[in-house]
Amino acid sequence: MDQFLQQVVNGLSLGSIYALIALGYTMVYGIIKLINFAHGDIYMLGAYIGFAVVTIGGLGFFPALIIAMVLCAVIGIVTERIAYKPLRNSPRITLLITAIGVSFFMEYIMVYFVGANVRAFPDVLPKTQYRLGSIVINLQQIVIILTTIALMVLLQFIVHKTKIGKAMRAVSADRDAAELMGVKVDRTISATFAIGSALAGAGGVLVGIFYNSINPLMGMMPGLKAFVAAVFGGIGIIPGAMIGGVSIGVIETMVSGYGSSMYKDAVVFAILILVLIFKPSGLLGKNTREKV
Amino acid sequence: MLEIKNLNLHYGVIHALKDISLTVNDGEIVTLIGANGAGKTSTLRTISGLEKATSGEILLDGESIMHMPAPKRVSMGISQVPEGRRIFPDMSVFENLEMGAYLRNDKDGIKADMEMVFGRFPILGMRKKQLAGTLSGGEQQMLAMGRALMSRPKILLLDEPSMGLAPILVQEIFNIIKVINATGTTILLVEQNANMALSIADRGYVIETGSIVLSGTGQELAQSPEVRKAYLGG
Ligand SMILES: Nc1ncnc2c1ncn2[C@@H]1O[C@H](COP(=O)(O)OP(=O)(O)OP(=O)(O)O)[C@@H](O)[C@H]1O
Ligand SMILES: [Mg+2]
């Protein structure tokens, strides 16, 4: 039982990071129906920005988080403007292939500038450990989980209570109808990329803390897993991405803990296959309904 | 109020609107009637800026709006109830109405107009918190109309508001259109239900395969042999 709870705690911290990345996938998919394969790389850039803020800037965790989020938001907006916006009326496959190209571009431009080697993410938080019975929780895990919860609450607030959030939901639901309300579609799409990318950037900094190591290709696997998480929860549905991310993190940790860490990736992709077979719309997805 | 001159619209090689000209004067109800695929929806979408005309001119109170993006046209006073309602199904009735007021910042005014909409469509007031996607077809039509009114339009474009509704509801919707008009909103009404549309319209135009083929007062058109034969069942 104790080992089980220990795995849950570990799984929640990993799952928080997946959830933060999955949110960006799902929001971007919701608004322009693009699986943004470059999204995992934004998360990688977030980790490097955090790394730079800490090592070069000499600042702590909080500034690293904020600066990574802001810069990733800008990178997200710029990427959308340059790579995706010109393809607004192109077939979806064109957009998808472009996203894969953007992904490689980001990965190898980083390899070029910072090298392909793994870097150790400095310890920005003290290595304090707390014991609850026989369960060990360290400060890193607490910070990861609390940061994620705070960001999710903030996101829910933005999406449901602010004007730009409502515009995002409206454009996701029906772009023409949103325009008839006076919503500026391009601006709304930019905002969606900004928010999604900022969350990925936060995920990047948190993963630096969690695994202590970063490299230019680190976005590939978590990117794919976060994508699985988004599909698992129901692509396009924000709470679905949260639940999906946390679930995938916990499942992966359980598999490593009780089975073998060799199988953890295989299990995640097996879940994707099962979801696609049995409930393609995902956990929270509804079957498409329309009224005349 | 609204003046359209020699408007042309192409979808790729399809020439959907051919030299359309029509005028809607202040305070009028003008109807545009025609068969399936004649170009009615295309006309309204072009006026709202959802489609880009290939050539021609659209004037609102004498000012060209041809090259304005759709949101700008809303702020100029053009509002549309689109074909098929297009309400936001996962938002509540209240949020849908808020979306209608998206470009406004006058909180008190918005609140007052919301009450006005609930006065006009009491069922919406009772369903305020309900998700719009769960409303009946008729209620969704009312919501789409209420939402369009929330921008305080000078001119309201309505695309087949009677589509798919029971006759008694159609009557109710048309009564409401008359009331909206009487309280100062100019109306351009697209309909296949020519009978009903002509009965409340000051003037009307008949569109056939992308061209205006006939125009006149509501009464003239209702009595014209061509219209009777083509749209009123003889
Ligand atoms: N997006 C589009 N792409 C290509 N052709 C289109 C498009 N939209 C409309 N058309 C064509 O333009 C013509 C006019 O269509 P429109 O929807 O304006 O007709 P309508 O009068 O509103 O018909 P209905 O009464 O059935 O709603 C039709 O031939 C239609 O097939
Ligand atoms: Mg139509």
Side-chain angles (χ1 to χ4, degrees):
Chain A
M1 187 61 197
D2 283 347
Q3 201 208 337
F4 178 79
L5 286 177
Q6 184 68 57
Q7 298 297 350
V8 170
V9 170
N10 297 347
L12 284 179
S13 11
L14 180 63
S16 300
I17 293 166
Y18 288 157
L20 287 176
I21 312 174
L23 283 167
Y25 268 113
T26 236
M27 291 167 68
V28 165
Y29 183 84
I31 208 154
I32 56 170
K33 304 288 172 275
L34 163 70
I35 306 290
N36 182 14
F37 275 112
H39 190 60
D41 302 299
I42 301 267
Y43 146 90
M44 173 271 294
L45 292 175
Y48 272 91
I49 294 167
F51 177 84
V53 170
V54 174
T55 53
I56 303 170
L59 299 169
F61 165 72
F62 215 62
L65 184 75
I66 303 291
I67 294 172
M69 287 179 72
V70 171
L71 291 184
C72 282
V74 174
I75 293 167
I77 293 173
V78 172
T79 313
E80 194 274 328
R81 277 289 148 90
I82 295 176
Y84 305 141
K85 192 176 166 208
L87 302 174
R88 207 48 64 76
N89 297 314
S90 309
R92 274 160 69 178
I93 188 77
T94 315
L95 210 57
L96 192 69
I97 293 167
T98 305
I100 294 170
V102 171
S103 168
F104 281 127
F105 175 79
M106 287 180 176
E107 286 164 13
Y108 290 97
I109 200 121
M110 285 305 280
V111 168
Y112 181 79
F113 282 113
V114 303
N117 54 314
V118 173
R119 279 162 203 267
F121 202 89
D123 290 322
V124 284
L125 297 170
K127 287 210 174 297
T128 321
Q129 291 196 332
Y130 303 92
R131 287 183 180 278
L132 286 170
S134 60
I135 306 167
V136 181
I137 306 178
N138 54 43
L139 184 63
Q140 274 85 342
Q141 290 176 318
I142 294 174
V143 168
I144 288 169
I145 293 170
L146 289 184
T147 307
T148 303
I149 291 174
L151 289 174
M152 284 182 179
V153 170
L154 182 65
L155 177 67
Q156 284 297 326
F157 175 79
I158 292 173
V159 168
H160 289 279
K161 300 285 179 226
T162 66
K163 234 171 169 173
I164 189 71
K166 284 174 192 171
M168 282 161 51
R169 286 158 64 206
V171 175
S172 296
D174 188 331
R175 189 182 297 183
D176 282 348
E179 266 201 285
L180 289 177
M181 304 298 109
V183 173
K184 294 193 180 92
V185 170
D186 285 340
R187 230 189 64 180
T188 309
I189 292 174
S190 286
T192 307
F193 269 84
I195 295 172
S197 304
L199 293 173
V205 174
L206 294 179
V207 91
I209 296 175
F210 191 71
Y211 283 133
N212 280 318
S213 81
I214 60 174
N215 72 77
L217 304 185
M218 65 183 268
M220 294 169 111
M221 201 40 123
L224 283 175
K225 286 180 184 164
F227 167 63
V228 174
V231 173
F232 181 61
I235 188 105
I237 306 167
I238 287 177
M242 298 178 181
I243 294 172
V246 173
S247 310
I248 296 289
V250 172
I251 291 169
E252 186 181 321
T253 315
M254 291 290 169
V255 172
S256 307
Y258 287 100
S260 156
S261 59
M262 266 175 61
Y263 295 123
K264 67 177 181 38
D265 296 346
V267 169
V268 171
F269 294 109
I271 291 174
L272 175 64
I273 293 168
L274 291 177
V275 170
L276 290 179
I277 292 173
F278 293 108
K279 191 141 193 314
S281 57
L283 217 55
L284 302 188
K286 289 164 265 182
N287 297 325
T288 36
R289 71 245 163 297
E290 243 158 55
K291 251 198 186 113
V292 232
Chain B
M1 162 89 46
L2 181 71
E3 200 178 351
I4 294 170
K5 295 183 196 161
N6 305 102
L7 196 67
N8 283 283
L9 173 70
H10 293 81
Y11 295 111
V13 293
I14 302 169
H15 195 173
L17 298 181
K18 301 165 190 154
D19 266 331
I20 297 263
S21 297
L22 63 83
T23 308
V24 185
N25 298 313
D26 270 9
E28 276 187 321
I29 299 183
V30 171
T31 184
L32 179 63
I33 56 178
N36 285 119
K40 304 181 297 295
T41 298
S42 301
T43 305
L44 294 194
R45 286 176 61 86
T46 311
I47 296 171
S48 280
L50 295 177
E51 305 290 350
K52 265 204 159 53
T54 1
S55 66
E57 188 56 273
I58 308 174
L59 303 170
L60 183 69
D61 291 331
E63 184 182 348
S64 172
I65 58 165
M66 262 294 271
H67 302 289
M68 288 180 186
K72 180 83 180 121
R73 299 189 198 195
V74 178
S75 67
M76 298 279 296
I78 299 180
S79 191
Q80 184 182 151
V81 180
E83 184 173 56
R85 289 118 200 181
R86 311 281 287 263
I87 45 123
F88 302 110
D90 293 329
M91 291 187 182
S92 67
V93 167
F94 185 82
E95 286 177 313
N96 266 274
L97 294 175
E98 274 185 336
M99 284 310 298
Y102 187 77
L103 291 175
R104 294 171 58 184
N105 288 314
D106 54 324
K107 269 207 167 104
D108 296 338
I110 293 174
K111 212 166 158 210
D113 284 355
M114 196 89 78
E115 290 308 319
M116 176 273 290
V117 169
F118 292 148
R120 204 152 278 164
F121 307 99
I123 188 80
L124 295 181
M126 296 186 307
R127 301 283 160 91
K128 230 180 339 199
K129 299 248 164 73
Q130 193 172 322
L131 287 188
T134 64
L135 296 177
S136 76
E139 290 160 0
Q140 292 191 3
Q141 184 60 51
M142 294 180 194
L143 179 57
M145 289 171 67
R147 183 181 68 173
L149 289 174
M150 288 302 294
S151 66
R152 283 208 182 160
K154 290 189 220 163
I155 179 164
L156 184 63
L157 315 177
L158 292 149
D159 197 344
E160 300 202 38
S162 75
M163 188 167 64
L165 301 184
I168 175 130
L169 263 178
V170 174
Q171 186 60 57
E172 194 181 334
I173 296 281
F174 275 84
N175 285 341
I176 294 167
I177 295 172
K178 276 197 283 192
V179 174
I180 293 171
N181 177 249
T183 47
T185 310
T186 304
I187 285 175
L188 176 56
L189 169 67
V190 156
E191 263 299 341
Q192 280 197 51
N193 190 337
N195 226 338
M196 276 302 242
L198 290 172
S199 75
I200 65 164
D202 298 304
R203 293 186 304 109
Y205 294 85
V206 179
I207 182 170
E208 246 169 49
T209 57
S211 306
I212 301 279
V213 292
L214 213 59
S215 66
T217 65
Q219 262 189 344
E220 279 166 12
L221 288 179
Q223 280 155 10
S224 117
E226 292 108 305
V227 173
R228 296 191 69 86
K229 193 149 149 270
Y231 305 105
L232 303 176

